[in-house]
Amino acid sequence: MWLWHSRLYLYSAAALVFGLWFLLKKKSVSKDSSKEENDKADKAPKKNDRETKEVHVSGVKIFYGSQTGTAKGFANELSEEVKALGLPAEVIDMKDYDPDDQLADECISKSVCVFLVATYTDGQPTENAEWFCKWLEEASTDFRYGKTYLKGLRYAVFGLGNSVYVGHYNTVCKNVDKWLWMLSGRRIMTRGEGDCNVVKSLNGSIQADFLAWKVKFLNRLKTLAKGEKKSCSGKCKTEGSCKNKRKERQEEEKKTSPQNNSSEVRAGKFCFLLLPSKDIDVYMAVDHNRLKVLFLPQSKEESQRDGQMVKLSKLNGVQKIEDEGERREMITPALREALTKQGYKLIGSHSGVKLCRWTKSMLRGRGGCYKHTFYGIESHRCMETTPSLACANKCVFCWRHHTNPVGTEWRWKMDPAEKILEDALEKHQNMIRQFRGVPGVKPDRYEEGLAVKHCALSLVGEPIMYPEINNFIRLLHHHQISSFLVTNAQFPQEIRYNLVPVTQLYVSVDASTQDSLKKIDRPLFKDFWPRFLDSLKALGEKKQRTVYRLTLVKSWNVEEMQAYSELIALGQPDFIEVKGVTYCGESSASSLTMANVPWHQEVVTFVQQLADMLPEYEIACEHEHSNCLLIAHTKFKVDGEWWTWIDYERFQELVQAYDESGGQQTFSALDYVAKTPSWALFGAQEQGFDPAETRFQRRNKSKDISGC
């Protein structure tokens, strides 16, 4: 009864006890949590200190092997980008680095080594990278160094090359990558290969190729600087998700695996994998009903095209049909900038025009070029242009220092011949108009200069490569403009079968032996010598005026007298121009110096000796100012007088009749000759300078160095 009557007090006491217990429990829990947080807070600074002290990338060392300065420029550009990330960067010229003493130290310094290397002539390294590459090659096979000599070295390689040199495209960068790998170096990313050939370049130019590679490298560098995460061992708490990811990757690989087509093999079908290479010849002698052709596109862009067709080619078995709209322009932005600085007036995507210094000279009445002396050209009315800036050679004496593109076939976008000629005439006339009112310019010469009468297709490049060259030549003749076409003797079929008559056809004969031609012209074609000889034979079959152009390079090709006479007998040209090489300044792409330029008397001696070896040729003309002489076939010597000049009006009549008759009414070089004036002849007192002009001697004012 007492419990029943006191139940209210008992319930209250029980609630009070429970409440006190709950409060005490909660207080103890809060103390534990605060203590744990304090412990974590105490440990956090220690952990952060440990992380800040651990350095994953100490810096980046950028090695470059460069001949023309492109790789060096890329190295400096990459250095600035790396420094912007907060990492130290050092640019190193390979010739100033001793790999035997220093390269092994990079394995423990936590630095990343970048190698930007160019491939030079015949797949060899550049001059500043020769020793480095030689040491690396020997070390990779020398047992004294061992296979783990560079273990711990982290590196990346980017090569600079040109895919038109099929046999040794980016050879140096491939070798450097291979040798470093053989010494246990660790690649941090896939090797990059830049291509100067804008047609084959994945990104349109070598600068764009480097930019794409640089972005990937910088992203990779950021990852390395943060510290790479270890791959999952399968024992982590999220093991299931790791397995799922691995499973997804395996399924993805199966989709793209060639084994996916095994069912077709079991079904009795044959699969031929045709790789996109120019060196593949395909021979098919199987049942066509059981044949399946797989074509692998060369780039990501090609793989995305719908309805891609493949056809058999006579040359290489398999060839992709290209759409004209997908071809790239020959003149890239970087090339446009370089050529514009050199004074070119660029036309469309592959042509150019430039004002010759002899044009300026004759506007002032100061004399014309050697073509004026030899053939009667009016230099102030001559337009120097080209419908193709591309060339198949990289000559050591190239007066454009190899800024123009190179190639062995036409693979660029093409502008119509009408547009090229129209723009060339307009730009040439605009350059002439700039001389209006200039002191010394004769008013009558200025007016004549606005009306172009001659066109020298010899500015730069290989005009005969332009697919519409015949149409361009016909347009010149339609405008009463004579045509002087120069070719480098690497396209014999175009000379023999395709080329229409021109006023005068030149072939550059820069050397007389296979070795010296390879050394001087540095041709792209592997079969350059058979092409060269066949071009000379094709020249001998032409009926219009033909010329051998010999450029003498002292200590290179002036001793090959007998070989030159044999080449002349092969092509039987009407004329032989022998000219001393013109030094166009120092170029990293050429070893040519002023010591290689022959004196005029040396050229005269060479020509006299050569003419004595040629029974049907004699020295006809001389232009001392250009360091040039003309050897002519004796058929142009009538009654003891030379007729090397050209009757341009008569030529226009003959070529018009030829075109109207569809090529039936032919003509020869003797049908449009004119008498050579006495002042132009060899041995004359004027030495080829027109007496109607005024000789201008440039005064060399001596510098006052008294204050130095």
Side-chain angles (χ1 to χ4, degrees):
M1 290 294 292
W2 179 80
L3 290 174
W4 175 253
H5 289 295
S6 305
R7 62 183 184 279
L8 180 61
Y9 302 104
L10 292 174
Y11 292 159
S12 300
L16 181 62
V17 172
F18 179 77
L20 291 172
W21 175 82
F22 182 76
L23 290 173
L24 292 173
K25 187 71 174 177
K26 188 174 182 181
K27 189 175 181 180
S28 64
V29 171
S30 62
K31 284 183 179 180
D32 293 339
S33 62
S34 61
K35 184 178 180 181
E36 186 177 348
E37 289 177 0
N38 291 333
D39 293 341
K40 287 182 178 179
D42 292 338
K43 292 179 180 179
K46 296 180 180 179
K47 184 178 180 180
N48 290 336
D49 292 341
R50 193 164 59 248
E51 287 179 352
T52 53
K53 290 180 181 178
E54 186 174 358
V55 177
H56 300 284
V57 176
S58 62
V60 178
K61 292 189 176 181
I62 307 170
F63 300 83
Y64 69 86
S66 180
Q67 189 71 27
T68 62
T70 305
K72 182 180 180 180
F74 287 168
N76 291 325
E77 180 182 337
L78 182 60
S79 174
E80 296 300 323
E81 296 281 357
V82 171
K83 290 177 181 178
L85 297 177
L87 293 172
E90 182 182 0
V91 177
I92 302 173
D93 189 337
M94 284 183 166
K95 69 178 180 181
D96 300 328
Y97 188 87
D98 189 350
D100 200 14
D101 294 338
Q102 299 173 275
L103 193 58
D105 297 337
E106 312 298 346
C107 301
I108 57 176
S109 64
K110 292 189 177 181
S111 62
V112 174
C113 296
V114 179
F115 298 90
L116 307 179
V117 287
T119 299
Y120 198 45
T121 306
D122 291 337
Q124 297 300 314
T126 56
E127 293 178 3
N128 71 318
E130 282 182 358
W131 165 246
F132 189 98
C133 292
K134 183 180 180 181
W135 177 90
L136 201 59
E137 180 182 12
E138 293 176 352
S140 65
T141 55
D142 193 338
F143 70 92
R144 292 171 294 181
Y145 287 94
K147 298 299 182 182
T148 59
Y149 183 71
L150 295 180
K151 187 175 183 180
L153 174 70
R154 295 179 292 180
Y155 73 91
V157 180
F158 180 83
L160 295 83
N162 197 320
S163 59
V164 295
Y165 294 98
V166 180
H168 43 77
Y169 169 58
N170 265 320
T171 302
V172 176
C173 86
K174 294 174 183 176
N175 287 336
V176 169
D177 185 24
K178 178 183 69 175
W179 295 328
L180 291 171
W181 175 82
M182 290 173 65
L183 291 170
S184 297
R186 176 191 164 202
R187 300 186 189 97
I188 65 170
M189 63 180 297
T190 306
R191 178 183 68 245
E193 296 181 2
D195 194 352
C196 290
N197 184 7
V198 296
V199 175
K200 296 291 184 65
S201 172
L202 293 178
N203 300 284
S205 67
I206 193 169
Q207 290 80 9
D209 291 338
F210 175 71
L211 178 61
W213 180 85
K214 181 181 68 174
V215 171
K216 295 179 181 178
F217 171 77
L218 293 175
N219 290 333
R220 178 66 175 143
L221 188 62
K222 292 177 185 177
T223 303
L224 291 175
K226 294 178 182 178
E228 293 184 289
K229 296 180 180 179
K230 295 182 179 180
S231 58
C232 179
S233 61
K235 298 180 180 180
C236 58
K237 294 181 180 180
T238 57
E239 180 182 356
S241 60
C242 293
K243 286 185 176 180
N244 292 335
K245 290 181 180 179
R246 286 199 296 270
K247 187 175 180 181
E248 290 176 2
R249 285 198 300 268
Q250 291 173 359
E251 290 178 354
E252 192 67 27
E253 291 174 358
K254 285 182 180 180
K255 291 180 181 179
T256 58
S257 174
Q259 296 175 355
N260 217 28
N261 297 318
S262 59
S263 60
E264 296 175 354
V265 178
R266 288 194 298 268
K269 299 178 181 178
F270 292 95
C271 293
F272 286 82
L273 184 63
L274 306 185
L275 299 177
S277 170
K278 292 185 178 180
D279 300 325
I280 294 178
D281 291 320
V282 182
Y283 300 92
M284 289 179 282
V286 296
D287 186 359
H288 293 283
N289 295 326
R290 304 172 70 190
L291 173 67
K292 181 175 180 178
V293 179
L294 301 179
F295 178 77
L296 297 184
Q298 291 180 337
S299 66
K300 183 178 179 182
E301 295 175 357
E302 293 174 7
S303 64
Q304 294 174 348
R305 297 173 191 158
D306 296 331
Q308 180 67 58
M309 298 295 294
V310 179
K311 68 176 181 179
L312 295 181
S313 170
K314 295 180 181 179
L315 298 177
N316 44 27
V318 178
Q319 181 176 344
K320 177 175 65 63
I321 299 176
E322 290 189 357
D323 183 9
E324 180 67 26
E326 295 175 353
R327 292 189 176 186
R328 293 170 178 166
E329 294 186 355
M330 180 188 296
I331 306 177
T332 63
L335 180 60
R336 184 176 296 275
E337 181 181 0
L339 293 176
T340 301
K341 285 182 180 179
Q342 295 180 20
Y344 281 89
K345 302 299 179 184
L346 300 178
I347 303 167
S349 63
H350 54 75
S351 309
V353 63
K354 195 174 188 290
L355 206 61
C356 176
R357 74 180 185 92
W358 290 109
T359 300
K360 305 172 187 177
S361 176
M362 206 161 187
L363 284 172
R364 293 182 169 95
R366 295 178 178 177
C369 71
Y370 68 92
K371 290 189 183 73
H372 173 63
T373 300
F374 296 169
Y375 316 118
I377 275 183
E378 298 172 272
S379 300
H380 64 297
R381 304 184 69 179
C382 181
M383 176 178 68
E384 192 174 21
T385 185
T386 179
S388 172
L389 292 165
C391 188
N393 291 344
K394 299 186 73 173
C395 304
V396 295
F397 51 77
C398 178
W399 60 339
R400 301 306 174 204
H401 298 315
H402 309 288
T403 49
N404 57 305
V406 291
T408 57
E409 59 181 343
W410 190 272
R411 297 293 300 275
W412 300 277
K413 287 183 178 179
M414 188 176 66
D415 300 325
E418 295 81 2
K419 180 64 175 176
I420 295 175
L421 181 57
E422 179 184 347
D423 289 354
L425 290 172
E426 180 182 355
K427 291 180 182 296
H428 177 82
Q429 290 168 348
N430 288 339
M431 288 187 285
I432 295 292
R433 289 190 180 98
Q434 295 176 4
F435 287 86
R436 183 172 185 174
V438 173
V441 174
K442 295 185 175 183
D444 58 332
R445 295 281 177 89
Y446 169 79
E447 294 297 332
E448 290 175 350
L450 292 174
V452 177
K453 187 177 180 181
H454 315 285
C455 180
L457 295 167
S458 60
L459 178 60
V460 72
E462 181 64 81
I464 206 170
M465 285 179 64
Y466 175 51
E468 291 192 12
I469 184 63
N470 285 337
N471 191 20
F472 187 83
I473 293 172
R474 292 191 186 98
L475 289 171
L476 287 173
H477 298 161
H478 179 73
H479 286 78
Q480 301 296 304
I481 300 174
S482 63
S483 54
F484 291 76
L485 177 65
V486 181
T487 176
N488 289 316
Q490 290 297 300
F491 297 92
Q493 298 302 315
E494 283 73 8
I495 297 175
R496 178 176 286 111
Y497 301 115
N498 302 331
L499 191 64
V500 298
V502 296
T503 309
Q504 191 155 280
L505 178 61
Y506 288 79
V507 168
S508 295
V509 183
D510 301 324
S512 58
T513 65
Q514 183 173 354
D515 291 338
S516 59
L517 186 69
K518 182 178 182 180
K519 182 180 178 182
I520 294 175
D521 279 5
R522 295 189 292 187
L524 272 63
F525 285 105
K526 290 184 178 180
D527 58 339
F528 66 92
W529 186 246
R531 284 176 170 271
F532 178 76
L533 296 179
D534 199 19
S535 295
L536 299 185
K537 294 177 183 178
L539 193 77
E541 300 170 8
K542 308 299 287 187
K543 295 183 177 181
Q544 289 73 46
R545 294 167 66 106
T546 57
V547 183
Y548 274 17
R549 172 183 283 181
L550 274 64
T551 302
L552 297 186
V553 185
K554 197 173 180 180
S555 302
W556 288 54
N557 63 356
V558 294
E559 293 85 12
E560 303 166 354
M561 200 76 62
Q562 181 62 37
Y564 272 121
S565 64
E566 293 173 359
L567 292 181
I568 293 170
L570 186 66
Q572 290 291 315
D574 295 327
F575 305 98
I576 306 163
E577 292 179 3
V578 185
K579 186 178 185 298
V581 66
T582 302
Y583 180 64
C584 302
E586 183 180 355
S587 169
S588 55
S590 171
S591 58
L592 202 69
T593 65
M594 276 298 297
N596 299 113
V597 180
W599 295 98
H600 181 64
Q601 189 54 46
E602 292 176 314
V603 177
V604 171
T605 302
F606 176 88
V607 170
Q608 288 174 335
Q609 294 175 358
L610 181 61
D612 291 341
M613 301 175 67
L614 306 174
E616 297 181 334
Y617 292 88
E618 295 179 10
I619 304 176
C621 303
E622 175 186 18
H623 192 253
E624 184 265 344
H625 197 154
S626 296
N627 198 11
C628 185
L629 285 90
L630 179 70
I631 300 176
H633 197 283
T634 51
K635 66 183 179 182
F636 292 94
K637 195 173 187 179
V638 182
D639 298 330
E641 295 181 330
W642 285 108
W643 290 65
T644 65
W645 276 35
I646 299 173
D647 187 341
Y648 294 101
E649 294 182 359
R650 178 58 180 161
F651 170 77
Q652 297 297 345
E653 295 174 359
L654 292 170
V655 77
Q656 183 179 355
Y658 174 88
D659 292 336
E660 291 176 351
S661 65
Q664 297 297 320
Q665 189 172 337
T666 60
F667 59 97
S668 67
L670 294 174
D671 292 332
Y672 54 101
V673 295
K675 187 177 179 180
T676 309
S678 59
W679 57 264
L681 300 177
F682 176 67
Q685 184 179 358
E686 294 85 354
Q687 288 189 297
F689 186 83
D690 191 345
E693 304 291 300
T694 303
R695 189 71 181 261
F696 178 77
Q697 298 287 352
R698 194 177 301 278
R699 296 179 181 179
N700 295 322
K701 296 182 180 180
S702 59
K703 295 181 180 179
D704 181 12
I705 59 173
S706 58
C708 296

